[in-house]
Amino acid sequence: MTNMHDVAKWPIFSLMDSELLNSIYQACVFGSGGNEAIFTTSDGDVYALGNNHNSCLGLGDVQSTLVPRKIEALCGKGTTLMAFGSGPHVVVATNTGELYSWGHNGYCQLGNGTTSHSPERMAPCLISNNLGGCLITHVACGSHHTLVLTNKGEVYAWGYNNCGQVGSGATANINAPRKVSSLLSGKKITALACGQTSSLALVDNGEVYGWGYNGNGQLGLGNNVNQPSPCRVSSLTGVVISQIACGYAHSMALSDEGVLYSWGANSYGQLGTGNKANLVTATRVGTDIGRFVEIAATHYSHISAAMLQSGAVYMWGQCRGQSVTTPILTKFTCLDDVFACFSSPAVTWRSLKFETFVGRRALEDSLKNSFDNQEASDLKIVLDGKSIHVHKAILKIRCEHFRSMFQSHWDEDAKDVIDITQYSYPVYHAFLEYLYTDTVSVDPEDAIGLLDLANSYCETHLKRLCELIIKQGINIENTATLMAAAIKYEAQELEDFCFKFAVNHMTAVVQTDAFHNLDEVYLKEFLNKAAQWGAFKY
């Protein structure tokens, strides 16, 4: 399943010209009332609108605006990442590795080398790149500090450091990017998250490290002692974590098997444990709901959200002023909508990449309702004795395979019934529905067959969606099967993902029937690769 962001749910965009609205590539909404926004367009321009508190719109002045204005200094720079602190300050990264910042600088949070007494910066200022020429893959901000992750898996930080949130080993403010080392040295970091005054980092082997303020137990160390250097979240030992998130003063982690953990402050029920007691160690949440595939929180608020493998979205914590202590099911289809509608303030938890716009809704609904509608169709596709009603014109527009099939010199062009024998009904139904909706909803096992189809029909986007479904549905029992499918269909990234999961759960995986049924040649290659990975060290 793929999720669509709905720009209409964010009020700050409601007055925008439709042409500019439809050109948005990515955006973030921030501010004490969710009343400020920055966005980039598909042609590389960068705009801002809103209150302009502390000149955080980067426009070079203090004027508020309801009409988007260009941030001239960033237009054409290739902005790829955007993050904001509640201080407020804003940090963006470009595709060439440049970092820019602007806004409040009372605590060195702009990272441009100026002291804490420097005035607020009203326009983007280039941060001196002392990151070894690396590209930036992730940016995260707390209230007054910033973390960036490089493509080498290294972490740099700067800003307010009164609780050790910059990870320097001390508590003096840091006015320029400094590498976070200590226990992170030699480890490849894959993700970052910031609370108001705390920091988390995820290592590629599934370990989680935290540092900074720990008064509410948000570092998960079993105590309330602040940490000026990274410490491993000991309460997650033995669990392979794939995602991390931080709220104002609480933390969450998601394991590679879809188990959700939370810890830290809980005065609004943001831990989802059914009560309001703080926790100093990671605790499993929502164990009776299902397998989680995505989690979300923001340092601006006390709300938490998570999505199940089925696509169902749950939320808990401070939801529009109410304290919800147990995850409740919503009608949303993506986590971003939780924050647009229920977070206080309504700010984004990550940069949005808009895929659905107001002007396209009617067309999308019409196409969706036309799928498998016998009255309007001009073609019936039959599989396993079951029929699917479609439209030749739509299939030709959406798929090269059908453009080739429905040519005047081919028999299929004159037919109104076509039999398909090489694929199962669920797989082909999912494929045809994808052509109408751009979404896919199948279980991991059928996703393997759909991956085969996508590979044969050269449908690259569909192939990526299938890989995502398989990743979200991997477990001990099906790991070897999914890994074999990835090899067969030359999905290298998926193969690597399955291999890593197998190594992290080696003892259990090698005892499954699927593993015993692996091709002998590949089985030997797998064991050799696992040995090189270090799986058999003792």
Side-chain angles (χ1 to χ4, degrees), residues 268-416:
Y268 299 93
Q270 59 265 47
L271 298 187
T273 55
N275 57 53
K276 295 184 179 181
N278 291 1
L279 292 173
V280 296
T281 57
T283 301
R284 292 180 63 168
V285 177
T287 53
D288 59 340
I289 296 177
R291 177 173 181 151
F292 292 97
V293 296
E294 189 173 32
I295 58 175
T298 169
H299 72 279
Y300 254 85
S301 66
H302 310 281
I303 192 171
S304 304
M307 177 182 286
L308 294 185
Q309 185 179 353
S310 65
V313 171
Y314 285 78
M315 69 180 187
W316 60 97
Q318 190 180 36
C319 304
R320 293 187 71 87
Q322 298 187 47
S323 295
V324 179
T325 62
T326 303
I328 59 172
L329 179 64
T330 72
K331 294 184 178 180
F332 300 127
T333 58
C334 68
L335 298 185
D336 303 289
D337 290 349
V338 170
F339 293 84
C341 300
F342 281 91
S343 176
S344 303
V347 301
T348 50
W349 68 281
R350 61 178 174 187
S351 291
L352 301 173
K353 290 189 177 179
F354 292 118
E355 300 173 57
T356 298
F357 300 95
V358 177
R360 289 172 50 186
R361 284 187 198 154
L363 176 60
E364 290 169 349
D365 288 343
S366 296
L367 284 174
K368 182 177 181 180
N369 294 333
S370 297
F371 174 66
D372 207 10
N373 185 330
Q374 185 174 356
E375 294 182 4
S377 72
D378 60 358
L379 177 66
K380 181 167 67 173
I381 295 179
V382 180
L383 306 93
D384 305 331
K386 300 177 183 179
S387 301
I388 307 172
H389 300 276
V390 290
H391 308 76
K392 287 184 181 180
I394 293 176
L395 300 190
K396 288 169 69 175
I397 289 170
R398 292 282 285 136
C399 179
E400 177 63 36
H401 172 79
F402 289 114
R403 281 196 291 276
S404 299
M405 177 185 291
F406 298 129
Q407 294 185 30
S408 58
H409 56 279
W410 293 106
D411 291 341
E412 285 82 357
D413 187 51
K415 293 180 178 179
D416 55 12

Side-chain angles (χ1 to χ4, degrees), residues 89 91 101 104-118 127 144-146 157-161 166 172-177:
H89 73 287
V91 179
S101 64
H104 190 271
N105 196 34
Y107 302 95
C108 305
Q109 58 264 50
L110 298 191
N112 55 23
T114 57
T115 68
S116 59
H117 301 292
S118 298
I127 297 175
H144 299 84
H145 76 289
T146 299
W158 66 89
Y160 199 24
N161 196 32
V166 172
N173 295 347
I174 305 299
N175 63 16

Side-chain angles (χ1 to χ4, degrees), residues 8 36 90 148 155 159 217 291 318 324 326 399 456 491 499:
E36 289 153 323
V90 179
V148 297
V155 181
R291 177 173 181 151
Q318 190 180 36
V324 179
T326 303
C399 179
S456 298
F499 172 80

